[in-house]
């Protein structure tokens, strides 16, 4: 009995210790932070790094999944593979699933972005901020416009990914330490959802589906290799882990050069794709005649309205699409989208509203879910956002992905 009692007490102590660690992660007393820019990562995260074979200053990668409101930090281990070291619940993001298209659409970016040390903003009015780098080469080539799109604190968003101040304190520290270790660019991967076969089937009727299929290629490359893919843009589309074999260069709006994929990577992606195809067929059978209703920002906010009680007005969590959305019959989805489109047109033509020319009706109501591309390129005016790096001797000396893959 004494042994059993001692074991019970030990287990309770361990459980409480775990709770304390979780609270420490989520609740940092900001009033005791003397220098937010140099605030070290919590000791329990450093211990996890050591256990996973990660150096404190090794490279990182950031992944975002809008639908579930999740942000992940992945970090390189000694074998050069990346492993997840932290994840956070995004406090607020505006708009709906789908990429940012034009200034003022309140959409948060989706795609692949390179963050440099210059993207860190220690003087943000939202505690701390990291510029996402929107628009990138893909966005600019496709005429997408917008600026000042950040990962920041304060839990309030208009096209940004907003965290709590405690969360952004840690995220900023991860990036800072990686840059101190010599990482030149941190890759930010922003997805609408985890690109599983089931999720792709759920969203197959969305007007952004072709764009998401392109992002999925990069998603698959990371899932297979556990290393951030090398990203290029040509013919106004993303290409991943490709080597130009004809001596050509990647031009965002120009023709793609002749490209090749390492044989080992090709085989690994083929095996991954075979499993995916089988899962997709099962999901199609499971969701026959059904599709996902992507909720509005207002619907997401309604789900978490109680969280605002007792807080400042600026605190505006938005909730997740998984909480506010649902699977519906395809006919019901088109009806919902038609009503949403009609409401939007009514708002634009209301007294006092700026008159707009009538738009051509989409092929289906589902296709009206996302605004059309406006081909007016515009540079990001942020003073602290570095221009895209030019080809230099150092850049060309960078160890290519395909050579690493061939060796490993």
């Amino acid at each position: 009995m004494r042994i059993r009692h001692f074991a019970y007490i030990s287990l309770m102590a361990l459980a409480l210790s775990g709770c304390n660690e979780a609270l420490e992660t989520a609740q940092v007393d900001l009033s005791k932070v003397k220098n937010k820019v140099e605030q070290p990562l919590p000791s329990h995260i450093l211990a996890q790094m050591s256990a996973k074979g990660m150096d404190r200053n090794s490279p990182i990668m950031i992944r975002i999944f809008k639908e579930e409101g999740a942000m992940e930090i992945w970090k390189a281990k000694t074998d050069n593979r990346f492993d997840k070291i932290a994840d956070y619940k995004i406090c607020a993001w505006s708009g709906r699933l789908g990429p940012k298209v034009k200034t003022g659409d309140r959409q948060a970016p989706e795609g692949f972005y390179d963050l440099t040390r210059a993207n860190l903003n220690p003087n943000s009015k939202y505690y701390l901020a990291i510029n996402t780098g929107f628009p990138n080469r893909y966005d600019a080539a496709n005429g997408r416009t917008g600026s000042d799109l950040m990962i920041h604190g304060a839990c309030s968003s208009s096209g940004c990914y907003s965290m709590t101040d405690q969360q952004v304190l840690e995220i900023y520290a991860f990036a800072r330490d990686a840059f101190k270790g010599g990482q030149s660019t941190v890759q930010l991967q922003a997805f609408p959802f985890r690109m599983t076969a089931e999720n792709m089937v759920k969203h197959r009727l969305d007007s952004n589906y072709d764009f998401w299929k392109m992002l999925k290629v990069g998603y698959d490359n990371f899932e297979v290799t556990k290393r951030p893919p090398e990203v290029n843009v040509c013919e106004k589309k993303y290409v991943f882990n490709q080597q130009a074999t004809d001596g050509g260069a990647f031009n965002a709006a120009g023709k793609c050069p002749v490209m090749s994929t390492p044989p080992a990577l090709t085989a690994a992606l083929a095996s991954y794709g075979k499993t995916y195809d089988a899962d997709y067929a099962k999901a199609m059978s499971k969701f026959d005649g059904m599709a996902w209703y992507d909720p509005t920002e207002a619907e997401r906010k309604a789900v978490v309205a109680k969280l605002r009680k007792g807080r400042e007005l600026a605190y505006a969590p938005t909730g997740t699409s998984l909480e506010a959305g649902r699977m519906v019959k395809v006919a019901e989805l088109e009806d919902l989208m038609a009503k949403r489109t009609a409401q939007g047109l009514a708002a634009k033509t209301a007294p006092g509203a700026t008159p707009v020319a009538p738009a051509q009706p989409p092929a289906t109501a589902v296709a009206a879910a996302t605004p059309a591309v406006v081909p007016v390129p515009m540079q990001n005016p942020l003073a602290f956002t570095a221009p895209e790096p030019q080809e230099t001797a150092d850049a060309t000396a960078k160890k290519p992905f395909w050579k690493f893959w061939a060796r490993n």
Side-chain angles (χ1 to χ4, degrees), residues 46-60:
L46 296 177
Q48 289 179 44
M49 287 184 190
S50 179
K52 288 176 175 284
M54 300 170 176
D55 183 81
R56 179 172 182 167
N57 297 115
S58 69
I60 67 164

Side-chain angles (χ1 to χ4, degrees), residues 196-372:
T196 62
E198 190 163 294
N199 279 340
M200 294 300 285
V201 168
K202 286 180 178 180
H203 295 279
R204 69 193 183 279
L205 298 183
D206 196 289
S207 59
N208 295 296
Y209 191 70
D210 286 341
F211 172 70
W212 292 339
K213 285 197 299 183
M214 179 176 57
L215 296 188
K216 184 182 177 300
V217 178
Y219 177 93
D220 292 351
N221 270 261
F222 178 74
E223 289 297 305
V224 166
T225 67
K226 288 299 183 284
R227 296 190 77 226
E230 289 190 4
V231 182
N232 280 296
V233 181
C234 57
E235 298 179 10
K236 299 184 179 182
K237 62 185 180 183
Y238 286 112
V239 293
F240 303 95
N241 290 332
Q242 295 296 299
Q243 180 181 16
T245 58
D246 60 352
F250 290 96
N251 184 311
K255 184 177 176 59
C256 289
V258 177
M259 301 179 292
S260 66
T261 308
L265 178 57
T266 299
L269 287 170
S271 177
Y272 183 90
K274 186 175 181 180
T275 301
Y276 171 84
D277 290 342
D279 291 342
Y280 192 92
K282 291 178 183 177
M284 281 295 292
S285 178
K286 178 180 178 181
F287 298 117
D288 184 34
M290 305 286 286
W292 178 257
Y293 169 70
D294 180 30
T296 64
E297 183 179 343
E299 289 170 324
R300 290 191 290 112
K301 284 183 175 180
V303 172
V304 296
K306 61 187 177 189
L307 297 179
R308 300 189 66 177
K309 292 182 179 179
R311 290 184 176 267
E312 297 179 0
L313 291 176
Y315 184 82
T318 55
T320 74
S321 294
L322 293 179
E323 294 173 295
R326 63 189 186 277
M327 291 295 291
V328 297
K329 292 183 178 180
V330 170
E332 182 183 353
L333 177 63
E334 296 216 354
D335 184 53
L336 288 167
M337 292 294 98
K339 289 179 179 178
R340 182 183 291 175
T341 302
Q343 290 171 352
L345 290 174
K348 290 179 180 179
T349 56
T354 303
V356 294
Q360 293 296 321
T364 67
V366 175
T370 303

